[in-house]
Amino acid sequence: MKIPKEMKFYGFIGFLGVILVYITAQFYVKSHLPELGWTVSDWLINYEDGGFKRRGLSGSVLFFIQDHLKIPLNTQIFAIQSFFFILIFYFLTRLLMSRKLNWDILILLCSPLCLLFIPVNIFNSGRKEIILITLILFFVCGKQSELKKYVLFIGFIVGLFLHELFYFYLPFVVAAYILKTNKVDFKFLGSLFLSSTLVILILFFWGGEINQGQSLELLKHRGIQFTRLNIFTYDVAKERRGMVNAYQSYILFALELLFMIWLSFVFVRKYLPQQVKNFKVFILISLIWVSPIYVLGADWFRWNHIYALLLIILIITALQTNDKKRPYIEGRLNTSLLVTNALFFIVFYLHIQYDSSGNSSAYLLQYIENKLPFLNFDI
């Protein structure tokens, strides 16, 4: 029996719903562990330890809520993570419903650098970039309005006080604005550039270090105990030495991003030929703009995820509008792309195991053998 395309689309949305339930459950478990790690510590950088600093706004707000409403910090962070992931999946579903789709874009959306990155690398998901992703999805979804422009502008500027990485993805905000409004508003975009650059300069020259020496003790008094690995014990110099020593892994991260960009560009060339030149220019500018963060930080897999997911969101936004109330999907399932994506997923999954184990090939082989006992690597 032939399954209607609408039913297949709703099946795809159901698959996304399963992912949402899974990651929400994982964040709940992680928020209630005796010791917490990266997904929580990033939100708890605060101004109480040493005054004004980079990324400190979120922690101070959460402290205020804890002091006045008596809501534990870990519960607040779980609520924030769940809320923004629900918004991401909601706005993404609305965006998909409003565009003329094909299976190629749905497959790319589920690549290991896009949506499937979240459940695969739950250890490093749920951090502050979810606000940036939500902000862009909110803007490109639905009808355009002046309110959305103000939310985009203010949200992006406030976001810089949560995490300076927002600035490195400014080209995506600019591109989202142009694609949605079909115009280059020099006044709005120029104001956004100047305002965000001013904030970055303020953070750079007057913002203190993340940990001024008392953060861990202060948080312990507030009921938070961290594992050895968290944002407050992050050693930049040590991490950069580690990047040099583990250069093979970082070369692979770079190749993974380039491969995802290539897949995305092949899609643009096939389905959006009128946008090929625009996306060529955008990819070049955005890669140059985002490159400093790859030098400043070791989380290349996170930077890749943000870049790839935002790029796919822009491509979906550029697709033709679907004026019907029912979902629109054309063409057949691209089996070769599906197989390519599946192989990409396997490579990325094994790479994450290798990277998170300290770049140990022996550990990776042991991990594979434990999962597939019929294999014997004699290690």
Side-chain angles (χ1 to χ4, degrees):
M1 183 175 63
K2 187 176 180 180
I3 302 175
K5 292 181 178 180
E6 290 82 0
M7 292 299 295
K8 292 179 180 179
F9 175 80
Y10 290 127
F12 178 82
I13 296 301
F15 172 68
L16 298 187
V18 171
I19 295 177
L20 177 60
V21 171
Y22 172 78
I23 61 178
T24 303
Q26 286 291 322
F27 284 129
Y28 177 82
V29 171
K30 287 182 176 297
S31 68
H32 286 75
L33 293 174
E35 292 186 320
L36 305 171
W38 288 105
T39 56
V40 172
S41 64
D42 198 32
W43 294 93
L44 293 176
I45 303 166
N46 58 86
Y47 297 145
E48 272 62 33
D49 175 26
F52 180 70
K53 65 177 70 170
R54 298 179 295 117
R55 314 182 196 180
L57 179 60
S58 58
S60 292
V61 172
L62 295 178
F63 287 0
F64 179 85
I65 294 173
Q66 184 186 39
D67 292 338
H68 290 81
L69 300 180
K70 309 304 179 186
I71 302 175
L73 293 173
N74 59 326
T75 301
Q76 292 186 61
I77 294 170
F78 167 68
I80 291 171
Q81 291 169 331
S82 301
F83 175 71
F84 277 102
F85 272 116
I86 289 171
L87 287 181
I88 287 172
F89 280 79
Y90 169 72
F91 288 130
L92 182 58
T93 300
R94 285 190 59 192
L95 180 63
L96 292 173
M97 291 281 290
S98 68
R99 294 294 183 270
K100 292 184 177 181
L101 304 172
N102 53 68
W103 286 106
D104 288 20
I105 195 63
L106 297 181
I107 292 172
L108 291 177
L109 183 60
C110 287
S111 83
L113 292 190
C114 292
L115 288 184
L116 288 186
F117 173 91
I118 303 167
V120 167
N121 197 16
I122 201 75
F123 177 76
N124 274 294
S125 297
R127 296 171 71 174
K128 293 175 181 176
E129 58 265 19
I130 60 178
I131 298 176
L132 175 63
I133 296 168
T134 302
L135 189 64
I136 291 178
L137 276 171
F138 165 76
F139 184 78
V140 299
C141 182
K143 295 181 179 180
Q144 180 54 37
S145 67
E146 288 297 309
L147 175 62
K148 281 190 172 183
K149 289 174 60 175
Y150 290 122
V151 171
L152 181 68
F153 190 100
I154 296 172
F156 187 78
I157 298 302
V158 173
L160 294 172
F161 291 98
L162 300 175
H163 202 307
E164 64 275 14
L165 74 78
F166 279 45
Y167 188 75
F168 296 97
Y169 295 93
L170 178 59
F172 289 91
V173 179
V174 173
Y177 183 90
I178 295 173
L179 283 172
K180 185 63 179 178
T181 62
N182 290 315
K183 64 179 181 179
V184 180
D185 187 337
F186 288 104
K187 182 179 179 181
F188 177 87
L189 297 176
S191 299
L192 182 64
F193 169 75
L194 292 175
S195 300
S196 58
T197 301
L198 177 61
V199 172
I200 287 296
L201 292 174
I202 291 171
L203 291 170
F204 180 79
F205 287 107
W206 290 284
E209 291 298 320
I210 288 171
N211 185 0
Q212 296 290 329
Q214 299 298 319
S215 287
L216 291 174
E217 190 64 27
L218 187 153
L219 288 165
K220 188 175 181 180
H221 286 305
R222 288 180 171 269
I224 297 294
Q225 184 72 35
F226 287 119
T227 61
R228 181 178 60 86
L229 298 175
N230 62 79
I231 194 66
F232 299 106
T233 58
Y234 182 77
D235 187 330
V236 176
K238 182 179 178 181
E239 285 296 329
R240 286 177 181 165
R241 290 195 298 270
M243 290 168 65
V244 174
N245 294 333
Y247 69 92
Q248 301 99 324
S249 186
Y250 285 91
I251 289 174
L252 186 53
F253 280 133
L255 292 175
E256 288 165 352
L257 178 61
L258 292 176
F259 181 66
M260 187 64 208
I261 292 173
W262 178 76
L263 288 177
S264 302
F265 188 75
V266 168
F267 177 90
V268 171
R269 191 170 56 187
K270 182 177 180 181
Y271 294 102
L272 293 166
Q274 72 281 7
Q275 294 280 7
V276 167
K277 183 177 179 181
N278 293 336
F279 272 96
K280 273 185 180 179
V281 174
F282 170 76
I283 289 172
L284 178 61
I285 293 174
S286 60
L287 284 177
I288 294 172
W289 193 270
V290 80
S291 60
I293 201 172
Y294 283 83
V295 178
L296 297 171
D299 291 353
W300 284 25
F301 44 86
R302 277 182 63 217
W303 319 147
N304 287 357
H305 161 61
I306 301 168
Y307 188 100
L309 181 55
L310 292 180
L311 179 59
I312 292 298
I313 290 171
L314 292 181
I315 292 174
I316 295 173
T317 304
L319 293 174
Q320 282 187 307
T321 302
N322 173 27
D323 297 322
K324 299 179 181 179
K325 294 183 178 180
R326 301 192 320 180
Y328 181 99
I329 305 181
E330 60 183 2
R332 296 182 179 181
L333 183 67
N334 189 334
T335 306
S336 60
L337 180 60
L338 182 62
V339 172
T340 300
N341 203 44
L343 294 174
F344 186 21
F345 177 87
I346 294 171
V347 171
F348 179 79
Y349 182 82
L350 293 177
H351 182 197
I352 288 296
Q353 306 306 318
Y354 170 76
D355 186 78
S356 60
S357 67
N359 304 299
S360 169
S361 56
Y363 173 90
L364 178 60
L365 294 177
Q366 185 63 59
Y367 176 85
I368 296 173
E369 187 174 345
N370 289 340
K371 296 295 181 180
L372 303 172
F374 58 86
L375 295 177
N376 187 356
F377 295 104
D378 295 324
I379 56 176

